[in-house]
């Protein structure tokens, strides 16, 4: 290499290395948590739909003392001059619900889709919070068979990032990806999750979702009998259940407004959810200026905003979670 260009090449290599290290640190948050004698746990306690109640996850919010770790209710009832702004009211924790079915050559399945939101992921360099920004959320999908037994749990942030699959012990082995080892711990973007959830034989089982403070990543999944969720183990907090369609009709000083932008370049994205670090580091490789911004879980034919789960632009269609059968096939599941 010409010596004239060598300093520039060295600078570029060092810059790329620094960016790669930051991205890795931003995706992996394995650090010890402070002791919490009784962490907060959000549960669904009342709903007219017994199926929603039966399989609803319980969310353990570690670091509850910091408001940004609390589940809330998307809200637009602020001052009139800011009627189009939305924020997360942690005094009214709410889980939003959608039921959908999908059919493959093998069977018809039901998805119970649970969505929660947090005020923000705080800006931080140590640890580096790649997903820093406001109004982020998490989706948990419980896939049931024809007998309403849970076969698969899928978790994903509402930006389409950090998806994870954990099958249950009720799933037929032929539906799992080839080579799936249920005895191994799986590493999911730095978090260690089980490769199987055990429902069989449990009385009134409850799915426990442990949330990492700050970034709200799923850091643990487990199934326990409901009786283990006791007041001496957790601080119980009840969540209201609302249909996911309610996010499009938030009460506001002007009547109602959507949680999402309904036109323009940001159509289908959560209002106020720009993630500047992800935009800087990932928009070029994903060919999406608003990569990392949280979005509506809806038909992309309507929103023109697919809920894709792969950063490969040519896989945007295949990895879109709205068509769940195609989404599962893309990621190796054989439903």
């Amino acid at each position: 290499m010409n010596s004239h260009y060598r300093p520039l090449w060295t600078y570029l290599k060092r810059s790329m290395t620094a960016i790669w290290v930051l991205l890795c640190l931003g995706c992996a948050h394995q650090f010890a948590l402070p002791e919490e004698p009784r962490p907060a746990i959000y549960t669904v306690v009342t709903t007219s739909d017994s199926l929603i109640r039966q399989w609803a996850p319980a969310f353990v919010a570690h670091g509850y003392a910091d408001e940004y770790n609390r589940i809330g209710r998307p809200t637009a009832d602020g001052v009139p001059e800011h009627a189009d702004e939305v924020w997360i009211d942690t005094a009214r924790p709410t889980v939003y619900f959608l039921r959908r079915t999908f059919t493959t050559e093998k069977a018809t399945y039901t998805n119970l889709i649970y969505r929660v939101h947090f005020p923000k992921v705080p800006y931080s360099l140590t640890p580096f919070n790649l997903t820093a920004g406001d109004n982020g959320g998490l989706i948990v999908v419980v896939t049931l068979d024809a007998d309403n037994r849970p076969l698969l749990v899928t978790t994903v942030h509402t930006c389409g990032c950090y998806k994870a699959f954990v099958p249950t012990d009720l799933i037929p082995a032929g539906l799992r990806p080839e080579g799936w080892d249920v005895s191994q711990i799986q590493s999911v973007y730095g978090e260690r999750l089980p490769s199987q959830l055990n429902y069989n034989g449990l009385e009134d089982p409850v799915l426990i979702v442990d949330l990492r403070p700050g970034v709200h990543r799923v850091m643990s999944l487990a199934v326990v009998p409901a009786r283990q969720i006791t007041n001496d183990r957790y601080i119980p907090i009840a969540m209201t259940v609302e249909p996911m369609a309610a996010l499009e009709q938030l009460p506001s000083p002007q009547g109602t407004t959507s949680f999402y932008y309904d036109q323009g370049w940001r159509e289908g994205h959560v209002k106020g959810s720009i993630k500047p670090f992800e935009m800087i580091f990932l928009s070029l490789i994903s060919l999406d200026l608003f990569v990392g911004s949280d979005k509506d879980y809806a038909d992309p034919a309507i929103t023109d905003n697919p809920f894709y789960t792969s950063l490969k632009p040519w896989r945007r269609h295949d990895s879109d979670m709205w068509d769940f059968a195609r989404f599962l096939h893309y990621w190796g599941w054989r439903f």
Side-chain angles (χ1 to χ4, degrees), residues 115 158-159 260 268-270 293-297 305-308:
R115 178 173 185 147
T158 51
C159 56
Y260 315 103
H269 287 95
V270 171
S293 294
D294 300 271
K295 59 183 68 175
D296 192 359
Y297 181 68
N305 188 19
F307 200 96
Y308 66 84

Side-chain angles (χ1 to χ4, degrees), residues 113-128:
I113 304 160
Y114 302 87
R115 178 173 185 147
V116 294
H117 276 267
F118 309 88
K120 66 179 180 179
V121 171
Y123 289 89
S124 172
L125 291 178
T126 53
F128 176 55

Side-chain angles (χ1 to χ4, degrees), residues 3 44 63 65 72 74 81 88 95 126 150 166 176 187 192 199 231 248-250 256-257 268 306 318 321 328 332:
S3 60
V44 172
E81 58 266 28
I88 309 301
V95 58
T126 53
V166 184
R176 296 194 296 253
S187 178
R192 292 170 58 81
Y199 279 87
N231 287 356
E248 299 175 9
Q249 297 289 324
L250 303 181
T256 61
T257 188
D318 294 336
M321 273 186 69
L328 288 177

Side-chain angles (χ1 to χ4, degrees), residues 123 132-134 266 270-276 279 290 292-294:
Y123 289 89
D134 296 338
R266 301 190 64 189
V270 171
K271 292 174 179 175
S273 70
I274 281 185
K275 308 293 178 62
M279 181 183 293
F290 300 112
S293 294
D294 300 271

Side-chain angles (χ1 to χ4, degrees), residues 64-203:
Y64 179 83
D66 294 312
E67 188 173 14
Y68 53 74
N69 289 322
R70 302 177 190 176
I71 292 172
R73 185 183 187 91
T75 304
D77 56 359
V79 292
E81 58 266 28
H82 300 294
D84 202 40
E85 294 185 7
V86 297
W87 54 286
I88 309 301
D89 182 1
T90 59
R92 298 185 293 167
T94 304
V95 58
Y96 292 87
F97 177 80
L98 178 66
R99 185 202 313 256
R100 300 191 71 226
T101 61
F102 66 95
T103 301
T104 68
E105 294 180 354
K106 295 181 179 179
T108 295
Y109 306 91
T110 298
N111 275 346
L112 307 181
I113 304 160
Y114 302 87
R115 178 173 185 147
V116 294
H117 276 267
F118 309 88
K120 66 179 180 179
V121 171
Y123 289 89
S124 172
L125 291 178
T126 53
F128 176 55
N129 288 345
L130 179 66
T131 58
D134 296 338
N135 299 342
L138 179 72
I139 288 175
V140 177
V141 182
V142 181
T143 301
L144 308 179
D145 65 11
D147 296 321
N148 288 331
R149 302 183 310 160
L151 302 182
L152 178 69
V153 172
T154 305
T155 67
V156 65
H157 284 233
T158 51
C159 56
C161 311
Y162 303 119
K163 63 148 196 355
F165 301 103
V166 184
T168 78
D169 55 350
L170 303 175
I171 191 173
L175 300 188
R176 296 194 296 253
E178 292 186 12
W180 189 275
D181 187 345
V182 300
S183 67
Q184 297 296 312
I185 296 296
Q186 56 171 322
S187 178
V188 182
Y189 300 99
E191 301 293 354
R192 292 170 58 81
L193 301 181
S195 292
Q196 180 171 281
L197 294 168
N198 298 319
Y199 279 87
N200 197 21
L202 288 184
E203 181 181 353

